[in-house]
Amino acid sequence: MATTSTRKALGKDLIRLAGSRAVFTAPEDLYAFQSDATHYFARNIPDAVVLPEDTDAASAVLAYAYEHEIPVTPRGAGSGLSGGCTPVAGGIVLDTKRLNRILGINRGNMTARVQAGVVLEDFHRAVEKQGLFYPPDPQSMSVCTLGGNVATRAGGPRAVKYGTTGNYVLGVEAVLADGSVIQAGSDCVKQSVGYDLTHLFTGSEGTLGLVTRVSVRLLPKPTHRRTALVVCETPDQAAQVVSGIIAAGAVPAMLEYVPQAALSLMNSIIRPPVAAQGEAYLLMELDGTEARVAEEAEILRSMALDLGAEEVRIVEDEREAATYWKARSRLYPMILTMAKKVISEDVTVPRDRIPEFVRAVAEISGRLGILIGLGGHAGDGNMHPTILFTDLSPEMEQKAEAAIEDIVKKGLELGGTISGEHGIGLHKSRFLEWELGRAQLTAMKRIKAALDPKGIMNPGKLWT
Amino acid sequence: MGKASGKYQGMRLEDLAEAMVKCSHCAFCQAACPVFKEDLLETHMPRARMEIIGVSLLDRELSPTRRVREIVDRCLLCSSCTHTCPANVPVDDVVAAARNRLGAKSGKNPFVRLGRKKFMESRGLSGMYAAVGRSVRNRGLLPDELPPIAREPLSLAFAPGEQPHESPRRARAAYFAGCATNAGYTDTGRDVLDVLARNGVEAVLVPELVCCGMPAFAEGDFAYAARLAEKNVEALSRIEADALVCDCTSCAYMFARKIPALLGPDHPLAEKAAALAAKTAEVTDYLARLGLSAELGTLAETYTYHVPCHAKFSETLAEAPRELLTRIPGLTLIEMDQPDACCGAGGGFFLGHRDLSMAIREKKLSDIGQTGASAVATQCPSCRGFLSAPLAGKTRVVHPVTILARSMRRA
């Protein structure tokens, strides 16, 4: 960490480049930038925070940092779960929140251009006003930014039918480590021009440069939506229902697996609360035309009941349905309040391997004698085994580490991936090679070295 | 202030530390904070405010510098973060307790001190103080956004005790007129009494009431807020009533939530404060629950409803005026974009943070304008004053109870 005097000198230089409104170097201000939505990765305060209001300012700051070899950590809302935006090496936090203009929504072309700091919910509202639809929603849309979504390839419950952020990104403007600016991709749905740098930056977690602008494709807004809750006797049965209904041709827009304990928490928001009589629940939203929604609801009802589900409840009242989804989006923060420390995993397996994965997590939990909750976006196989710490002892930490390792190994064994949507950041870097293999990891490191030879961009993330 | 002790036992920063560590860092409070949304600086979001309060006032890792004070002061105390927090961290209490720890800021100037004391102890200016206030105001020396100074406060215009009402009597309620209503927007107070009477509610006006204490609480002057609370709790507890009805959402929030927490469970008045809290309701919330018995006459007018921030403590409060107003024949309620977004007033916050408050207000004014409504309904007198000034001559701002009263008088 820099001394007070070098920090002051750094501040002066940055003010010259980005303006006094954009630069913060007082320790009182820097405290806020240590962490993301996890507190256990808060290890260091940065030496300066810069909030550029345009690409030029961001470019000037990066060129300066490159020249002086100062680490730069890009930041969106600070709502991530992998430690990706934490400034572990000090240096400059480059915060995109003031790059917050929606530059254009093109109805005819069904695309939009936004600056990186636009809040996802604001963007959803803006496109929906025009009858359009941008499906990705990582369940933090009231705060998370489009730039952060692109950097982490954010997912969320709609992936089952609509895919994740990566499926919508058509182009990015990015500032490279040395300050040069590239316009990758375009507003065209079809592109076949050289390397696909757009999607190289998507999911790059700020290690290759700073994404300042994004072009995304849009869909027509579905005219009808309906929420359904399936009450199941066992987690195994719930997993069978998931595979069953999708195989039968009903693909819900969202399909969430909610264990009983989680539903009890959600009941503090669901109005009227649900009588929690089943062991496992599937919360889903069907969308499309009125006829299609009715048809899928029928498939869902008959298939779920055939497989032995206790009840299929179609929530007709829209306001009531909204409380289910609000409760779902608050579930993770509510779980966080239940234990001394909580680690949420996002191992993803092919949908048809969910029952095996559920059984394996239960086995790991029993064998190590620790609490592991398990919910998740069952529709796309993205599960969230959640380790609840009853204390903060070294033994507990060790058991949690062992559990994560076992969970990750099991996920890979089932043909899955170590992160479905949170990204690697600091959290999963030690498992990266398990999934990628030595050769692929080396290839990635070469790409990194080519684009950021001095290694100033988000050091310590992806790998150390 | 007689026997009142001003002893507060709740809300010490140390006692709140346990609640503070429940913050999971989820960041959802960013979306709730009007100050953050304007500044877009994480230091000015509730999560960071609490963190800074923790390191500087509890852990003493950092000395409480002027910048710390600034961060703690740059909060409207709107309570939106508290009511958004999935972990139920009482962030507004933490900020108020931090202000308490840092020492109340105002009160250095003896004239301001005296004026403030007189204001809170007689629920607004009256007599000589009102005359002085009016003359200062007439010379343009007071911001337009402050409520007017009435010729005669409600507490003098109406005799204390039981007020007449329609038969049969359906309920009996103590009516607490907040300072801004008692001595400023007296139309609201008269309409509360009229609507209660028409609906068979026997209103009781209690003598010896003082300010609910919210302004002192917000400044962190807990001793004074507790003195005011003790006086009110004692006076109101002497009255047999089914409910304590407030016209102002912040007074209701104070009685329903803050006073019991401030006095603490071991205070001699704790039980009485809790009993009052349980029966406290804002007037439209109260009426919506009780049901209207008076007839409603036609009002061919369009309104939009601005939800005051302090409505959030009650699950039904924001819906109550909508439910009542939409029953009025001929009346159209047009929802604005984000009706529950803050207007920027924050009680008296706007007096010390003018640019910030006005920037927050800009968005609200644009949302109001886009509805095309001819008037705005809102229960909070601070919102009313702050929105009335720029809307003067174009769009009226009134308490929803006034709209109900006019409709009932037409029936």
Side-chain angles (χ1 to χ4, degrees), chain B residues 280-351:
Chain B
T280 298
E282 180 277 333
V283 63
T284 59
D285 206 6
Y286 177 70
L287 287 166
R289 259 180 263 163
L290 183 73
L292 298 180
S293 57
E295 299 244 340
L296 292 162
T298 304
L299 282 182
E301 295 166 2
T302 54
Y303 285 91
T304 187
Y305 172 50
H306 163 64
V307 186
C309 294
H310 284 172
K312 295 190 174 80
F313 77 93
S314 155
E315 266 192 38
T316 49
L317 211 171
E319 280 312 307
R322 292 171 162 128
E323 200 183 309
L324 296 173
L325 294 181
T326 47
R327 277 194 233 162
I328 296 175
L331 187 141
T332 315
L333 186 69
I334 309 170
E335 291 290 343
M336 69 178 90
D337 192 31
Q338 303 187 44
D340 55 358
C342 178
C343 72
F349 178 86
F350 71 91
L351 296 168

Side-chain angles (χ1 to χ4, degrees), chain B residues 156-401:
Chain B
L156 296 178
F158 290 82
E162 283 77 6
Q163 306 297 307
H165 59 89
E166 297 284 319
S167 299
R169 189 180 91 167
R170 298 166 67 215
R172 180 179 152 91
Y175 169 41
F176 183 88
C179 302
T181 299
N182 183 49
Y185 293 122
T186 52
D187 56 335
T188 299
R190 288 170 196 278
D191 292 332
V192 168
L193 290 171
D194 189 25
V195 169
L196 291 178
R198 283 170 189 271
N199 286 278
V201 180
E202 181 177 49
V204 187
L205 292 177
V206 181
E208 295 163 22
L209 293 179
V210 291
C211 170
C212 71
M214 180 60 87
F217 170 78
E219 267 203 2
D221 189 351
F222 287 178
Y224 191 49
R227 266 218 311 275
L228 294 166
E230 287 164 350
K231 185 128 195 195
N232 281 328
V233 171
E234 274 176 347
L236 288 164
S237 300
R238 285 195 284 269
I239 308 295
E240 288 277 328
D242 313 322
L244 170 62
V245 170
C246 302
D247 55 82
C248 162
T249 35
S250 296
C251 300
Y253 187 33
M254 193 71 192
F255 278 108
R257 294 280 187 274
K258 299 304 178 201
I259 289 177
L262 186 66
L263 297 183
D266 300 324
H267 192 281
L269 289 172
E271 235 171 83
K272 286 178 174 170
L276 276 174
K279 60 182 184 182
T280 298
E282 180 277 333
V283 63
T284 59
D285 206 6
Y286 177 70
L287 287 166
R289 259 180 263 163
L290 183 73
L292 298 180
S293 57
E295 299 244 340
L296 292 162
T298 304
L299 282 182
E301 295 166 2
T302 54
Y303 285 91
T304 187
Y305 172 50
H306 163 64
V307 186
C309 294
H310 284 172
K312 295 190 174 80
F313 77 93
S314 155
E315 266 192 38
T316 49
L317 211 171
E319 280 312 307
R322 292 171 162 128
E323 200 183 309
L324 296 173
L325 294 181
T326 47
R327 277 194 233 162
I328 296 175
L331 187 141
T332 315
L333 186 69
I334 309 170
E335 291 290 343
M336 69 178 90
D337 192 31
Q338 303 187 44
D340 55 358
C342 178
C343 72
F349 178 86
F350 71 91
L351 296 168
H353 299 81
R354 240 188 131 65
D355 291 347
L356 173 61
S357 288
M358 276 161 57
I360 297 170
R361 183 172 67 182
E362 272 318 297
K363 166 88 174 72
K364 180 59 63 174
L365 291 174
S366 139
D367 290 344
I368 290 171
Q370 273 176 23
T371 64
S374 55
V376 182
T378 192
Q379 294 106 318
C380 168
S382 174
C383 303
R384 181 178 173 182
F386 197 58
L387 291 173
S388 290
L391 291 172
K394 288 181 287 184
T395 313
R396 277 177 307 122
V397 186
V398 295
H399 194 293
V401 82

